[in-house]
Amino acid sequence: MFAGLPEARPDDEARRESIRAMRAEDRQLLGVLDDDPTGSQAVHGVQVVTVLAEEAYAAALDSAAGTCFVLTNTRSLDEPAAVELNRLVARGLLTVAERRGARMQLVSRSDSTLRGHVMAEVAALQAVRREVLGSGFDGVLLVPAFLEAGRLTAADIHWARTSSGLVAVGETEFARDPAFRYTASNLRDFVAEKSGGAIDRDDVRSISLADIRLGGPCRVRELLADVRDGTWVVVNATEYSDLETVACGVLLAERAGKSFLSRTGPSFVRALSGMGSRAPLRGGEIWPSGRRGTRGTRGLIVVGSHVSQTSRQVAALRARGGTTDIELDVPAVLSGADVAAATARQVTDALGRTDVLLYTSRTLVPGSDGADSLTIARKVSAALSRTVRAALAAKPAWVIAKGGITSHDVALHGLGIRRAEVTGQLFPGMISVFRPLDAAPEAIGMPYVVFAGNVGSDETLRQVVAIMKGEQEDS
C-alpha cells in the first residue's frame, strides 16, 4: 500500500508562509476545542485555556499564532455533558471573533486513535454555527493523523505504529476502549459505524494521497468545492507536506465561500496554522530565564492512564530507581475512603528527599458500561488532583502528568491553571511542556509536562524524567 504511493511533496517553508499569509489576509483565527490536554503536542508558542471565559480566549488569541486551545476534557464526560460543553466553548470563541471582525476556524481536536464523542461533538458545533452565523458547515474534515506518533492514513485506512510495526487502528487496544469501542479501520466505514448507520460509507468523501501529491492545493480546493450539508471528508496523510497541502486547499475553498469544521488529531492543527517544527526542548529552554529559579530540584510524576503502554513505562521508571513510589489505591478511592489526604502527606514528605512517582494501582477497575467507566476515571483523577494540590506546598520543581484525563484535572484542579503557554515538546511533536501564565501562585513558572497515555516507547517516561532532571540533554 505505501510502496505504491506517489512521491510526497518536499518540505517547503514557502508553503507554510503562504498559509500564514492567507490567514492574515483573511483575518482567520483558530479555535481548537481539545477533548483532552494532549492535542497541542505538535505546536508551540500557542496558549491553552482551561476555563469557560471569553476574556481568557481573547487573551490567548492575542498571541502571534492567533490560536487558542480550549481544554474541554470531554473525553472524560458522558455524551450530554460533552455536547453542552462544546456548545458553550464554541459560542464563546465565535463571539470573540465576531467582536474583532475576524473569522474563526473551529477544530474539534480528539484522539489520533479515534476515541471520543465523534458524532455528538461534531453535531453540537454544527448547531452552534447555525445559531450564531446562520448556517452550518459545508463539510467536516476527518484528519486523525498524528505523524510524530506514527498515526497515518493511507487509502482511507488509519494506522498506528506499534512495536510490531504499523497496525490498522481497528485491531489495536484503543479500539477496545470501554467507553469508545469501534471496529472499523477504514475511516469511511468508521464514520458509518459511529453514526449508527445514519451515514452511509458511500456518502463519505475522500481526499486521497494521489489527489494531494499530484494535484496539490488546487485539486483539494476542487474536491471541496461541491461539498455541502455537513458532508464528511476523509483526509489521507503520511507526511506534513500532505497536511499543509490540504490546509492550503481548505483556505482557498473558504475564500470561495465554503466553510469547514475539522475533526482532527494533533498534526493538522500545526499544518492549518502554517507553523513549522521546533527542536525538542532541553535544559534552560524548559525553565524561564534558563534556570530553575528558587525552587527545589525535586519533581513529581503523576500517572493515571491505565493503557498497557503506560504500565510498561511506569515499570521501566521504577526499575531505574531514584524515585519514591507512592501508589494511590483505586479500590479504596472508589469505596469512598478519603485516601487523598494521607497520600498527599506521603508525597509532600517524600518531595523533601527525592523525586516522587504517584501512580494509581495498576489493576484496572472496569465499569459496568462505558458511562460507568468514565465515572470511575473521573473519581480517580479527582483524587490524584487533590493530592497534587496539597503537594504544591512542597514546591516541586516540575510536574509530569501521564494520561489525558489525569493531565487535564491535574492542570485545572491540582495546579489551578486557567491559561498557559505551550513552550514546545520534549520529543519531536510529542509530550508538551506548559508554562502556567494564570494559575495557583505556587505553579507560576513551573514547567508542567503533559504526557498522553498512548504515546512513546517503554522507556519514554524514564527519559522524560531524566530530561527534567537535566541528566539527558540529547534530543
Side-chain angles (χ1 to χ4, degrees), residues 8-44:
R9 293 186 165 225
D11 181 68
D12 187 359
E13 179 58 26
R15 184 169 49 238
R16 291 187 285 271
E17 289 177 358
S18 176
I19 292 171
R20 294 193 296 269
M22 282 193 283
R23 298 192 65 84
E25 291 167 12
D26 298 344
R27 296 183 57 79
Q28 290 264 27
L29 300 173
L30 192 57
V32 184
L33 293 84
D34 199 348
D35 73 352
D36 84 354
T38 63
S40 59
Q41 292 182 88
V43 298
H44 55 272

PDB file of all heavy atoms in Angstrom, residues 8-44:
ATOM      1  N   ALA A   8       5.904  11.977  -2.008  1.00  0.00           N
ATOM      2  CA  ALA A   8       5.399  13.109  -1.229  1.00  0.00           C
ATOM      3  C   ALA A   8       6.017  14.417  -1.706  1.00  0.00           C
ATOM      4  O   ALA A   8       7.159  14.452  -2.185  1.00  0.00           O
ATOM      5  CB  ALA A   8       5.717  12.902   0.252  1.00  0.00           C
ATOM      6  N   ARG A   9       5.259  15.477  -1.581  1.00  0.00           N
ATOM      7  CA  ARG A   9       5.795  16.801  -1.884  1.00  0.00           C
ATOM      8  C   ARG A   9       6.892  17.141  -0.877  1.00  0.00           C
ATOM      9  O   ARG A   9       6.811  16.750   0.286  1.00  0.00           O
ATOM     10  CB  ARG A   9       4.680  17.836  -1.835  1.00  0.00           C
ATOM     11  CG  ARG A   9       3.671  17.608  -2.961  1.00  0.00           C
ATOM     12  CD  ARG A   9       2.614  18.682  -3.051  1.00  0.00           C
ATOM     13  NE  ARG A   9       1.949  18.562  -4.345  1.00  0.00           N
ATOM     14  CZ  ARG A   9       1.671  19.562  -5.157  1.00  0.00           C
ATOM     15  NH1 ARG A   9       1.989  20.799  -4.813  1.00  0.00           N
ATOM     16  NH2 ARG A   9       1.064  19.357  -6.318  1.00  0.00           N
ATOM     17  N   PRO A  10       7.908  17.904  -1.276  1.00  0.00           N
ATOM     18  CA  PRO A  10       9.010  18.212  -0.357  1.00  0.00           C
ATOM     19  C   PRO A  10       8.574  19.152   0.757  1.00  0.00           C
ATOM     20  O   PRO A  10       7.588  19.888   0.622  1.00  0.00           O
ATOM     21  CB  PRO A  10      10.050  18.882  -1.260  1.00  0.00           C
ATOM     22  CG  PRO A  10       9.255  19.436  -2.396  1.00  0.00           C
ATOM     23  CD  PRO A  10       8.113  18.481  -2.618  1.00  0.00           C
ATOM     24  N   ASP A  11       9.305  19.096   1.862  1.00  0.00           N
ATOM     25  CA  ASP A  11       9.091  20.077   2.928  1.00  0.00           C
ATOM     26  C   ASP A  11       9.409  21.461   2.369  1.00  0.00           C
ATOM     27  O   ASP A  11      10.421  21.644   1.684  1.00  0.00           O
ATOM     28  CB  ASP A  11      10.008  19.758   4.113  1.00  0.00           C
ATOM     29  CG  ASP A  11       9.813  20.715   5.266  1.00  0.00           C
ATOM     30  OD1 ASP A  11       8.745  20.679   5.871  1.00  0.00           O
ATOM     31  OD2 ASP A  11      10.734  21.518   5.525  1.00  0.00           O
ATOM     32  N   ASP A  12       8.533  22.432   2.648  1.00  0.00           N
ATOM     33  CA  ASP A  12       8.667  23.726   1.976  1.00  0.00           C
ATOM     34  C   ASP A  12       8.191  24.850   2.896  1.00  0.00           C
ATOM     35  O   ASP A  12       7.002  24.970   3.176  1.00  0.00           O
ATOM     36  CB  ASP A  12       7.832  23.707   0.690  1.00  0.00           C
ATOM     37  CG  ASP A  12       8.037  24.950  -0.171  1.00  0.00           C
ATOM     38  OD1 ASP A  12       8.813  25.828   0.241  1.00  0.00           O
ATOM     39  OD2 ASP A  12       7.408  25.028  -1.243  1.00  0.00           O
ATOM     40  N   GLU A  13       9.125  25.655   3.370  1.00  0.00           N
ATOM     41  CA  GLU A  13       8.758  26.787   4.226  1.00  0.00           C
ATOM     42  C   GLU A  13       7.899  27.787   3.466  1.00  0.00           C
ATOM     43  O   GLU A  13       7.040  28.454   4.056  1.00  0.00           O
ATOM     44  CB  GLU A  13      10.016  27.469   4.757  1.00  0.00           C
ATOM     45  CG  GLU A  13       9.764  28.676   5.651  1.00  0.00           C
ATOM     46  CD  GLU A  13       8.927  28.358   6.882  1.00  0.00           C
ATOM     47  OE1 GLU A  13       8.933  27.179   7.336  1.00  0.00           O
ATOM     48  OE2 GLU A  13       8.253  29.289   7.400  1.00  0.00           O
ATOM     49  N   ALA A  14       8.086  27.893   2.148  1.00  0.00           N
ATOM     50  CA  ALA A  14       7.273  28.823   1.357  1.00  0.00           C
ATOM     51  C   ALA A  14       5.786  28.455   1.428  1.00  0.00           C
ATOM     52  O   ALA A  14       4.915  29.333   1.424  1.00  0.00           O
ATOM     53  CB  ALA A  14       7.741  28.826  -0.095  1.00  0.00           C
ATOM     54  N   ARG A  15       5.497  27.158   1.502  1.00  0.00           N
ATOM     55  CA  ARG A  15       4.103  26.725   1.623  1.00  0.00           C
ATOM     56  C   ARG A  15       3.522  27.174   2.960  1.00  0.00           C
ATOM     57  O   ARG A  15       2.387  27.646   3.048  1.00  0.00           O
ATOM     58  CB  ARG A  15       4.021  25.211   1.464  1.00  0.00           C
ATOM     59  CG  ARG A  15       2.598  24.664   1.478  1.00  0.00           C
ATOM     60  CD  ARG A  15       2.564  23.197   1.060  1.00  0.00           C
ATOM     61  NE  ARG A  15       3.524  22.398   1.773  1.00  0.00           N
ATOM     62  CZ  ARG A  15       4.497  21.670   1.205  1.00  0.00           C
ATOM     63  NH1 ARG A  15       4.632  21.662  -0.098  1.00  0.00           N
ATOM     64  NH2 ARG A  15       5.332  20.972   1.934  1.00  0.00           N
ATOM     65  N   ARG A  16       4.312  27.056   3.999  1.00  0.00           N
ATOM     66  CA  ARG A  16       3.837  27.491   5.315  1.00  0.00           C
ATOM     67  C   ARG A  16       3.669  29.011   5.350  1.00  0.00           C
ATOM     68  O   ARG A  16       2.723  29.526   5.974  1.00  0.00           O
ATOM     69  CB  ARG A  16       4.797  27.005   6.403  1.00  0.00           C
ATOM     70  CG  ARG A  16       4.764  25.488   6.581  1.00  0.00           C
ATOM     71  CD  ARG A  16       5.567  25.023   7.755  1.00  0.00           C
ATOM     72  NE  ARG A  16       7.003  25.071   7.501  1.00  0.00           N
ATOM     73  CZ  ARG A  16       7.690  24.059   6.964  1.00  0.00           C
ATOM     74  NH1 ARG A  16       7.070  22.947   6.579  1.00  0.00           N
ATOM     75  NH2 ARG A  16       8.998  24.153   6.793  1.00  0.00           N
ATOM     76  N   GLU A  17       4.590  29.726   4.706  1.00  0.00           N
ATOM     77  CA  GLU A  17       4.449  31.183   4.630  1.00  0.00           C
ATOM     78  C   GLU A  17       3.166  31.563   3.895  1.00  0.00           C
ATOM     79  O   GLU A  17       2.478  32.521   4.277  1.00  0.00           O
ATOM     80  CB  GLU A  17       5.666  31.789   3.916  1.00  0.00           C
ATOM     81  CG  GLU A  17       6.946  31.735   4.738  1.00  0.00           C
ATOM     82  CD  GLU A  17       8.133  32.288   3.967  1.00  0.00           C
ATOM     83  OE1 GLU A  17       7.947  32.664   2.782  1.00  0.00           O
ATOM     84  OE2 GLU A  17       9.241  32.339   4.541  1.00  0.00           O
ATOM     85  N   SER A  18       2.826  30.810   2.868  1.00  0.00           N
ATOM     86  CA  SER A  18       1.596  31.062   2.124  1.00  0.00           C
ATOM     87  C   SER A  18       0.372  30.859   3.007  1.00  0.00           C
ATOM     88  O   SER A  18      -0.586  31.647   2.967  1.00  0.00           O
ATOM     89  CB  SER A  18       1.532  30.143   0.904  1.00  0.00           C
ATOM     90  OG  SER A  18       0.307  30.299   0.216  1.00  0.00           O
ATOM     91  N   ILE A  19       0.386  29.810   3.826  1.00  0.00           N
ATOM     92  CA  ILE A  19      -0.730  29.562   4.753  1.00  0.00           C
ATOM     93  C   ILE A  19      -0.861  30.715   5.736  1.00  0.00           C
ATOM     94  O   ILE A  19      -1.958  31.241   5.963  1.00  0.00           O
ATOM     95  CB  ILE A  19      -0.510  28.231   5.498  1.00  0.00           C
ATOM     96  CG1 ILE A  19      -0.633  27.052   4.534  1.00  0.00           C
ATOM     97  CG2 ILE A  19      -1.514  28.079   6.637  1.00  0.00           C
ATOM     98  CD1 ILE A  19      -0.226  25.712   5.131  1.00  0.00           C
ATOM     99  N   ARG A  20       0.269  31.135   6.313  1.00  0.00           N
ATOM    100  CA  ARG A  20       0.220  32.234   7.289  1.00  0.00           C
ATOM    101  C   ARG A  20      -0.271  33.523   6.623  1.00  0.00           C
ATOM    102  O   ARG A  20      -1.044  34.290   7.229  1.00  0.00           O
ATOM    103  CB  ARG A  20       1.600  32.437   7.920  1.00  0.00           C
ATOM    104  CG  ARG A  20       2.052  31.253   8.780  1.00  0.00           C
ATOM    105  CD  ARG A  20       3.257  31.601   9.636  1.00  0.00           C
ATOM    106  NE  ARG A  20       4.453  31.908   8.865  1.00  0.00           N
ATOM    107  CZ  ARG A  20       5.368  31.014   8.503  1.00  0.00           C
ATOM    108  NH1 ARG A  20       5.210  29.735   8.829  1.00  0.00           N
ATOM    109  NH2 ARG A  20       6.451  31.380   7.824  1.00  0.00           N
ATOM    110  N   ALA A  21       0.164  33.759   5.387  1.00  0.00           N
ATOM    111  CA  ALA A  21      -0.246  34.972   4.682  1.00  0.00           C
ATOM    112  C   ALA A  21      -1.749  34.960   4.407  1.00  0.00           C
ATOM    113  O   ALA A  21      -2.435  35.980   4.589  1.00  0.00           O
ATOM    114  CB  ALA A  21       0.535  35.111   3.377  1.00  0.00           C
ATOM    115  N   MET A  22      -2.269  33.826   3.957  1.00  0.00           N
ATOM    116  CA  MET A  22      -3.704  33.744   3.698  1.00  0.00           C
ATOM    117  C   MET A  22      -4.505  33.931   4.980  1.00  0.00           C
ATOM    118  O   MET A  22      -5.543  34.603   4.983  1.00  0.00           O
ATOM    119  CB  MET A  22      -4.051  32.402   3.046  1.00  0.00           C
ATOM    120  CG  MET A  22      -3.736  32.330   1.564  1.00  0.00           C
ATOM    121  SD  MET A  22      -4.482  30.893   0.740  1.00  0.00           S
ATOM    122  CE  MET A  22      -3.391  29.593   1.284  1.00  0.00           C
ATOM    123  N   ARG A  23      -4.028  33.357   6.055  1.00  0.00           N
ATOM    124  CA  ARG A  23      -4.734  33.510   7.337  1.00  0.00           C
ATOM    125  C   ARG A  23      -4.766  34.978   7.749  1.00  0.00           C
ATOM    126  O   ARG A  23      -5.787  35.488   8.216  1.00  0.00           O
ATOM    127  CB  ARG A  23      -4.071  32.665   8.422  1.00  0.00           C
ATOM    128  CG  ARG A  23      -4.080  31.155   8.160  1.00  0.00           C
ATOM    129  CD  ARG A  23      -3.679  30.381   9.408  1.00  0.00           C
ATOM    130  NE  ARG A  23      -4.691  30.585  10.441  1.00  0.00           N
ATOM    131  CZ  ARG A  23      -5.817  29.884  10.524  1.00  0.00           C
ATOM    132  NH1 ARG A  23      -6.071  28.937   9.656  1.00  0.00           N
ATOM    133  NH2 ARG A  23      -6.691  30.129  11.474  1.00  0.00           N
ATOM    134  N   ALA A  24      -3.632  35.662   7.606  1.00  0.00           N
ATOM    135  CA  ALA A  24      -3.575  37.072   7.991  1.00  0.00           C
ATOM    136  C   ALA A  24      -4.460  37.934   7.095  1.00  0.00           C
ATOM    137  O   ALA A  24      -5.218  38.792   7.588  1.00  0.00           O
ATOM    138  CB  ALA A  24      -2.128  37.562   7.937  1.00  0.00           C
ATOM    139  N   GLU A  25      -4.394  37.703   5.782  1.00  0.00           N
ATOM    140  CA  GLU A  25      -5.204  38.498   4.854  1.00  0.00           C
ATOM    141  C   GLU A  25      -6.696  38.292   5.085  1.00  0.00           C
ATOM    142  O   GLU A  25      -7.489  39.227   4.957  1.00  0.00           O
ATOM    143  CB  GLU A  25      -4.848  38.112   3.415  1.00  0.00           C
ATOM    144  CG  GLU A  25      -3.454  38.553   2.980  1.00  0.00           C
ATOM    145  CD  GLU A  25      -3.022  37.890   1.683  1.00  0.00           C
ATOM    146  OE1 GLU A  25      -3.892  37.272   1.024  1.00  0.00           O
ATOM    147  OE2 GLU A  25      -1.828  37.986   1.342  1.00  0.00           O
ATOM    148  N   ASP A  26      -7.083  37.081   5.433  1.00  0.00           N
ATOM    149  CA  ASP A  26      -8.499  36.765   5.630  1.00  0.00           C
ATOM    150  C   ASP A  26      -8.943  36.936   7.077  1.00  0.00           C
ATOM    151  O   ASP A  26     -10.083  36.596   7.410  1.00  0.00           O
ATOM    152  CB  ASP A  26      -8.776  35.330   5.174  1.00  0.00           C
ATOM    153  CG  ASP A  26      -8.506  35.115   3.696  1.00  0.00           C
ATOM    154  OD1 ASP A  26      -8.406  36.125   2.967  1.00  0.00           O
ATOM    155  OD2 ASP A  26      -8.390  33.953   3.268  1.00  0.00           O
ATOM    156  N   ARG A  27      -8.041  37.444   7.935  1.00  0.00           N
ATOM    157  CA  ARG A  27      -8.341  37.653   9.357  1.00  0.00           C
ATOM    158  C   ARG A  27      -8.892  36.378   9.996  1.00  0.00           C
ATOM    159  O   ARG A  27      -9.939  36.369  10.649  1.00  0.00           O
ATOM    160  CB  ARG A  27      -9.321  38.823   9.538  1.00  0.00           C
ATOM    161  CG  ARG A  27      -8.736  40.165   9.089  1.00  0.00           C
ATOM    162  CD  ARG A  27      -9.695  41.324   9.343  1.00  0.00           C
ATOM    163  NE  ARG A  27     -10.085  41.441  10.745  1.00  0.00           N
ATOM    164  CZ  ARG A  27      -9.331  41.992  11.695  1.00  0.00           C
ATOM    165  NH1 ARG A  27      -8.127  42.472  11.384  1.00  0.00           N
ATOM    166  NH2 ARG A  27      -9.764  42.079  12.935  1.00  0.00           N
ATOM    167  N   GLN A  28      -8.151  35.306   9.802  1.00  0.00           N
ATOM    168  CA  GLN A  28      -8.557  33.997  10.304  1.00  0.00           C
ATOM    169  C   GLN A  28      -7.935  33.743  11.675  1.00  0.00           C
ATOM    170  O   GLN A  28      -6.717  33.849  11.849  1.00  0.00           O
ATOM    171  CB  GLN A  28      -8.091  32.898   9.345  1.00  0.00           C
ATOM    172  CG  GLN A  28      -8.816  32.856   8.025  1.00  0.00           C
ATOM    173  CD  GLN A  28      -9.959  31.847   8.039  1.00  0.00           C
ATOM    174  OE1 GLN A  28     -10.529  31.549   9.087  1.00  0.00           O
ATOM    175  NE2 GLN A  28     -10.307  31.338   6.881  1.00  0.00           N
ATOM    176  N   LEU A  29      -8.767  33.384  12.644  1.00  0.00           N
ATOM    177  CA  LEU A  29      -8.318  32.901  13.944  1.00  0.00           C
ATOM    178  C   LEU A  29      -8.596  31.402  14.008  1.00  0.00           C
ATOM    179  O   LEU A  29      -9.433  30.882  13.259  1.00  0.00           O
ATOM    180  CB  LEU A  29      -9.048  33.618  15.073  1.00  0.00           C
ATOM    181  CG  LEU A  29      -8.873  35.133  15.132  1.00  0.00           C
ATOM    182  CD1 LEU A  29      -9.791  35.735  16.192  1.00  0.00           C
ATOM    183  CD2 LEU A  29      -7.426  35.499  15.416  1.00  0.00           C
ATOM    184  N   LEU A  30      -7.904  30.719  14.898  1.00  0.00           N
ATOM    185  CA  LEU A  30      -8.057  29.279  15.010  1.00  0.00           C
ATOM    186  C   LEU A  30      -8.448  28.926  16.443  1.00  0.00           C
ATOM    187  O   LEU A  30      -7.691  29.185  17.383  1.00  0.00           O
ATOM    188  CB  LEU A  30      -6.750  28.581  14.625  1.00  0.00           C
ATOM    189  CG  LEU A  30      -6.769  27.076  14.405  1.00  0.00           C
ATOM    190  CD1 LEU A  30      -7.788  26.700  13.335  1.00  0.00           C
ATOM    191  CD2 LEU A  30      -5.386  26.576  14.004  1.00  0.00           C
ATOM    192  N   GLY A  31      -9.639  28.354  16.597  1.00  0.00           N
ATOM    193  CA  GLY A  31     -10.115  27.924  17.906  1.00  0.00           C
ATOM    194  C   GLY A  31     -10.183  26.413  17.958  1.00  0.00           C
ATOM    195  O   GLY A  31     -10.910  25.785  17.178  1.00  0.00           O
ATOM    196  N   VAL A  32      -9.415  25.812  18.865  1.00  0.00           N
ATOM    197  CA  VAL A  32      -9.305  24.357  18.948  1.00  0.00           C
ATOM    198  C   VAL A  32      -9.969  23.876  20.222  1.00  0.00           C
ATOM    199  O   VAL A  32      -9.534  24.206  21.330  1.00  0.00           O
ATOM    200  CB  VAL A  32      -7.827  23.911  18.932  1.00  0.00           C
ATOM    201  CG1 VAL A  32      -7.733  22.392  18.915  1.00  0.00           C
ATOM    202  CG2 VAL A  32      -7.093  24.518  17.739  1.00  0.00           C
ATOM    203  N   LEU A  33     -11.052  23.128  20.088  1.00  0.00           N
ATOM    204  CA  LEU A  33     -11.709  22.511  21.232  1.00  0.00           C
ATOM    205  C   LEU A  33     -11.057  21.155  21.435  1.00  0.00           C
ATOM    206  O   LEU A  33     -11.256  20.224  20.647  1.00  0.00           O
ATOM    207  CB  LEU A  33     -13.215  22.362  20.995  1.00  0.00           C
ATOM    208  CG  LEU A  33     -14.014  23.667  20.910  1.00  0.00           C
ATOM    209  CD1 LEU A  33     -13.971  24.271  19.502  1.00  0.00           C
ATOM    210  CD2 LEU A  33     -15.471  23.435  21.318  1.00  0.00           C
ATOM    211  N   ASP A  34     -10.257  21.045  22.481  1.00  0.00           N
ATOM    212  CA  ASP A  34      -9.399  19.879  22.692  1.00  0.00           C
ATOM    213  C   ASP A  34     -10.014  18.992  23.767  1.00  0.00           C
ATOM    214  O   ASP A  34     -10.170  19.415  24.909  1.00  0.00           O
ATOM    215  CB  ASP A  34      -8.011  20.361  23.121  1.00  0.00           C
ATOM    216  CG  ASP A  34      -6.947  19.305  22.927  1.00  0.00           C
ATOM    217  OD1 ASP A  34      -7.301  18.141  22.672  1.00  0.00           O
ATOM    218  OD2 ASP A  34      -5.755  19.648  23.031  1.00  0.00           O
ATOM    219  N   ASP A  35     -10.358  17.750  23.407  1.00  0.00           N
ATOM    220  CA  ASP A  35     -11.086  16.921  24.360  1.00  0.00           C
ATOM    221  C   ASP A  35     -10.206  16.276  25.420  1.00  0.00           C
ATOM    222  O   ASP A  35     -10.697  15.571  26.291  1.00  0.00           O
ATOM    223  CB  ASP A  35     -11.964  15.886  23.641  1.00  0.00           C
ATOM    224  CG  ASP A  35     -11.167  14.743  23.007  1.00  0.00           C
ATOM    225  OD1 ASP A  35      -9.919  14.813  22.991  1.00  0.00           O
ATOM    226  OD2 ASP A  35     -11.811  13.788  22.516  1.00  0.00           O
ATOM    227  N   ASP A  36      -8.899  16.502  25.361  1.00  0.00           N
ATOM    228  CA  ASP A  36      -8.004  16.282  26.499  1.00  0.00           C
ATOM    229  C   ASP A  36      -6.760  17.137  26.259  1.00  0.00           C
ATOM    230  O   ASP A  36      -6.623  17.728  25.195  1.00  0.00           O
ATOM    231  CB  ASP A  36      -7.718  14.795  26.736  1.00  0.00           C
ATOM    232  CG  ASP A  36      -6.600  14.212  25.889  1.00  0.00           C
ATOM    233  OD1 ASP A  36      -6.084  14.912  25.010  1.00  0.00           O
ATOM    234  OD2 ASP A  36      -6.264  13.039  26.107  1.00  0.00           O
ATOM    235  N   PRO A  37      -5.871  17.297  27.240  1.00  0.00           N
ATOM    236  CA  PRO A  37      -4.828  18.333  27.114  1.00  0.00           C
ATOM    237  C   PRO A  37      -3.674  17.987  26.194  1.00  0.00           C
ATOM    238  O   PRO A  37      -2.717  18.759  26.117  1.00  0.00           O
ATOM    239  CB  PRO A  37      -4.312  18.475  28.564  1.00  0.00           C
ATOM    240  CG  PRO A  37      -5.218  17.703  29.416  1.00  0.00           C
ATOM    241  CD  PRO A  37      -5.845  16.667  28.563  1.00  0.00           C
ATOM    242  N   THR A  38      -3.745  16.866  25.496  1.00  0.00           N
ATOM    243  CA  THR A  38      -2.578  16.419  24.742  1.00  0.00           C
ATOM    244  C   THR A  38      -2.614  16.830  23.272  1.00  0.00           C
ATOM    245  O   THR A  38      -1.722  16.481  22.507  1.00  0.00           O
ATOM    246  CB  THR A  38      -2.442  14.887  24.836  1.00  0.00           C
ATOM    247  OG1 THR A  38      -3.588  14.268  24.231  1.00  0.00           O
ATOM    248  CG2 THR A  38      -2.356  14.443  26.286  1.00  0.00           C
ATOM    249  N   GLY A  39      -3.619  17.596  22.860  1.00  0.00           N
ATOM    250  CA  GLY A  39      -3.748  17.951  21.452  1.00  0.00           C
ATOM    251  C   GLY A  39      -2.758  18.978  20.962  1.00  0.00           C
ATOM    252  O   GLY A  39      -2.615  19.191  19.754  1.00  0.00           O
ATOM    253  N   SER A  40      -2.053  19.629  21.875  1.00  0.00           N
ATOM    254  CA  SER A  40      -1.099  20.673  21.489  1.00  0.00           C
ATOM    255  C   SER A  40       0.312  20.131  21.319  1.00  0.00           C
ATOM    256  O   SER A  40       1.275  20.892  21.290  1.00  0.00           O
ATOM    257  CB  SER A  40      -1.098  21.787  22.547  1.00  0.00           C
ATOM    258  OG  SER A  40      -0.752  21.262  23.816  1.00  0.00           O
ATOM    259  N   GLN A  41       0.452  18.812  21.177  1.00  0.00           N
ATOM    260  CA  GLN A  41       1.792  18.213  21.121  1.00  0.00           C
ATOM    261  C   GLN A  41       2.580  18.597  19.873  1.00  0.00           C
ATOM    262  O   GLN A  41       3.802  18.485  19.864  1.00  0.00           O
ATOM    263  CB  GLN A  41       1.680  16.687  21.179  1.00  0.00           C
ATOM    264  CG  GLN A  41       1.203  16.160  22.514  1.00  0.00           C
ATOM    265  CD  GLN A  41       1.158  14.655  22.538  1.00  0.00           C
ATOM    266  OE1 GLN A  41       2.147  14.011  22.857  1.00  0.00           O
ATOM    267  NE2 GLN A  41       0.024  14.082  22.194  1.00  0.00           N
ATOM    268  N   ALA A  42       1.893  19.028  18.825  1.00  0.00           N
ATOM    269  CA  ALA A  42       2.599  19.331  17.580  1.00  0.00           C
ATOM    270  C   ALA A  42       2.878  20.820  17.404  1.00  0.00           C
ATOM    271  O   ALA A  42       3.481  21.207  16.413  1.00  0.00           O
ATOM    272  CB  ALA A  42       1.785  18.816  16.388  1.00  0.00           C
ATOM    273  N   VAL A  43       2.451  21.659  18.363  1.00  0.00           N
ATOM    274  CA  VAL A  43       2.576  23.103  18.186  1.00  0.00           C
ATOM    275  C   VAL A  43       3.393  23.721  19.312  1.00  0.00           C
ATOM    276  O   VAL A  43       3.659  23.086  20.334  1.00  0.00           O
ATOM    277  CB  VAL A  43       1.179  23.777  18.125  1.00  0.00           C
ATOM    278  CG1 VAL A  43       0.390  23.255  16.939  1.00  0.00           C
ATOM    279  CG2 VAL A  43       0.402  23.565  19.430  1.00  0.00           C
ATOM    280  N   HIS A  44       3.761  24.984  19.121  1.00  0.00           N
ATOM    281  CA  HIS A  44       4.491  25.718  20.152  1.00  0.00           C
ATOM    282  C   HIS A  44       4.125  27.198  20.031  1.00  0.00           C
ATOM    283  O   HIS A  44       3.648  27.654  18.982  1.00  0.00           O
ATOM    284  CB  HIS A  44       5.998  25.534  19.992  1.00  0.00           C
ATOM    285  CG  HIS A  44       6.503  25.910  18.631  1.00  0.00           C
ATOM    286  ND1 HIS A  44       6.558  25.026  17.568  1.00  0.00           N
ATOM    287  CD2 HIS A  44       6.960  27.088  18.125  1.00  0.00           C
ATOM    288  CE1 HIS A  44       7.016  25.631  16.503  1.00  0.00           C
ATOM    289  NE2 HIS A  44       7.271  26.896  16.800  1.00  0.00           N
TER     290      HIS A  44
END
